[in-house]
Structures are given as C-alpha cells and as structure tokens.
Amino acid sequence: SVADYQGLKRGNLKLGVVTTAKYIAPELLGEYGLMFPGIQLAMNVTNRDKIIDRIKRYDDDLYVMGLVPEDEVSVTCNYFAPNPLVVLAPSSHRLCHAQGISLEEIAKEPFLLREPGSGTREAIMRLCRERNLKLNVRMELGSNEAIKHGIVGGLGISVLSLHSLVLEGVSGMISVLDVEGFPIMRKWYLVYPKEKTLSLPAQRFIEFSVDREDAITKRLAGIWPKLSEYVDGS
Ligand code: PGA
C-alpha cells in the first residue's frame, strides 16, 4: 500500500541490465520513479559477461537478466516478466502469410545472428542443435537495432525478443512469422548476489516489478495477439 512506501523518500537505486532488457527496464523505472520521486535512479546497459563481472563487484543494487548465472556467481533471482523470442521478417517477405512454417524452412533463409555472448543467440542456437539444423547465417550483428534495420533492408530474417518491437509494433515494416517451436518463451529475472542485503528501494523495486507481470504480458499481447496462446491467464 502507499503507506508502506512512506519510508522511501530518499535513496538510490542502481540497475545493471543485459542489452535486450533495455526495452523493458527504463519504463519500469519510469513508473517506479513516479511513485518514489526522491529516489535517485541509474541504469547500466551491457552484455551478459560484463553484467556478471558487475555482480561479482557489487557494482549495482539489482540486475535484469534472462539467463541467470549458475556457476559464475551465486545469486538470488525473482521472475517478473515473460520474454518471448519470435521469428521476424520484412513485411514484404513471401513467408509472412504462411502458417506453421517448419524450422527447416527457416534454417534455409539468410539469417541475421546476434553476437557471441547474447542470450537471444544462445536460445536460437540451442533450438537448432536440438533439431540438428544449421542456420544459413548471412551476418552477425552486435545489436537488436542493427538487426531490425537489416531485416527492413532485406539482409535476412532473424529471431529477436518481442520486447524489441514494443514501440513500433508488428504491423509496420517488420512482421512476426508463424513458425513451429516459436515463440521461445524465455523469462526476465531480477537478480542480486546471494549474500547481499537489499536496500529498501531495491526491495520495493522487486515487489513493484513482480506486480507488473500482468501489465507487461498484456502489452506484449497487444502488439502480437497470438502471444495469448502461450501465456497463462491472459
Ligand atoms: P541478449 O538478451 O543478451 O540477447 O541481449 C538477454 C537475454 O535474453 O538473456
């Protein structure tokens, strides 16, 4: 309740987030900032390896990640939102109106792949290994934004988080293909070092984010209604 939050008049909250989480963390911070205007906010966006270094050094209060560290560092994690990965193509692509496209067919298409160390890349590579498929990689690109523009430019198709399209939607220049095995339903977690005592602002941010799960899921389903078939209760 609002009364519980009265103790949060001043303080700091520093987040460290993996690259794809930049599509979700700032908006959460924005809403949180409206509730607690006295809290100084900061956010660092970098790749997963560097985030793990930051966790080890206690650089930030909380981290947003998809693939929780296991051996690297001991952490506590809280699930707060889905992270569906979808197959994206230019809206002029011949497969845009096809249904139940096979993974074999996708593997033949020129593909734009994220850089080593990317969680998105890891998820698509794992699926291909399981199915004994080799992607037809046209190019590696180190950013979701570069991949989106590469798709529009006709360089190839790709697999990205649906969160990366939350501002423009999927009815413009980029479309979601209907492919078997997709979406890959990944998850977002708020993570912190196991032995660390959380600050009050960090504790509240976790509670606040976990409460947003429904709203975040609905927003994603708003841009791509088919998501409703893959998430509970929406
Ligand atoms: P990214 O995404 O490393 O591909 O940016 C994070 C994740 O999904 O784990």
Side-chain angles (χ1 to χ4, degrees):
S1 76
V2 173
D4 295 337
Y5 294 133
Q6 295 296 319
L8 284 155
K9 288 216 163 52
R10 267 184 299 277
N12 292 287
L13 176 66
K14 215 171 149 194
L15 291 190
V17 314
V18 292
T19 44
T20 299
K22 70 171 174 237
Y23 298 107
I24 180 169
E27 294 181 27
L28 281 173
L29 280 175
E31 282 183 72
Y32 176 89
L34 286 176
M35 289 166 72
F36 308 118
I39 305 283
Q40 289 285 327
L41 304 171
M43 187 179 109
N44 207 288
V45 185
T46 186
N47 72 27
R48 183 172 183 277
D49 287 354
K50 295 216 175 80
I51 288 289
I52 288 171
D53 292 340
R54 294 184 73 86
I55 298 177
K56 288 180 179 162
R57 291 195 307 254
Y58 282 47
D59 280 349
D60 314 281
D61 298 299
L62 290 172
Y63 301 88
V64 180
M65 316 180 72
L67 205 60
V68 172
E70 280 171 6
D71 312 325
E72 302 100 320
V73 53
S74 169
V75 295
T76 302
C77 61
N78 294 265
Y79 164 74
F80 73 95
N83 177 22
L85 304 187
V86 291
V87 184
L88 300 175
S91 296
S92 55
H93 199 281
R94 67 187 158 75
L95 292 175
C96 279
H97 300 288
Q99 286 187 353
I101 302 163
S102 70
L103 210 51
E104 282 76 9
E105 188 145 15
I106 290 304
K108 286 186 219 147
E109 292 289 312
F111 197 90
L112 306 179
L113 189 63
R114 283 282 306 275
E115 78 287 359
S118 150
T120 307
R121 172 186 172 122
E122 178 53 33
I124 171 73
M125 295 304 267
R126 191 184 312 144
L127 182 63
C128 288
R129 272 198 305 276
E130 283 166 11
R131 295 285 303 270
N132 253 314
L133 288 171
K134 197 170 172 307
L135 286 175
N136 172 18
V137 177
R138 170 95 185 261
M139 255 178 102
E140 279 191 19
L141 292 104
S143 103
N144 292 331
E145 293 307 306
I147 287 179
K148 280 158 54 178
H149 286 271
I151 293 170
V152 171
L155 283 172
I157 66 169
S158 192
V159 170
L160 292 179
S161 166
L162 189 57
H163 287 285
S164 73
L165 288 157
V166 87
L167 293 186
E168 62 263 56
V170 296
S171 47
M173 287 189 274
I174 297 180
S175 297
V176 176
L177 299 187
D178 181 16
V179 180
E180 51 140 347
F182 283 87
I184 300 175
M185 291 301 288
R186 300 186 76 228
K187 293 176 175 177
W188 288 126
Y189 298 93
L190 277 159
V191 169
Y192 59 93
K194 209 161 209 128
E195 64 282 12
K196 184 171 177 172
T197 307
L198 283 183
S199 67
L200 201 55
Q203 286 174 38
R204 288 292 177 267
F205 188 74
I206 292 176
E207 291 162 13
F208 168 81
S209 302
V210 169
D211 280 348
R212 305 297 296 147
E213 181 197 353
D214 232 40
I216 294 168
T217 306
K218 288 209 171 79
R219 184 158 184 218
L220 289 175
I223 69 166
W224 187 56
K226 204 163 192 289
L227 182 67
S228 312
E229 297 169 24
Y230 302 90
V231 289
D232 304 330
S234 69

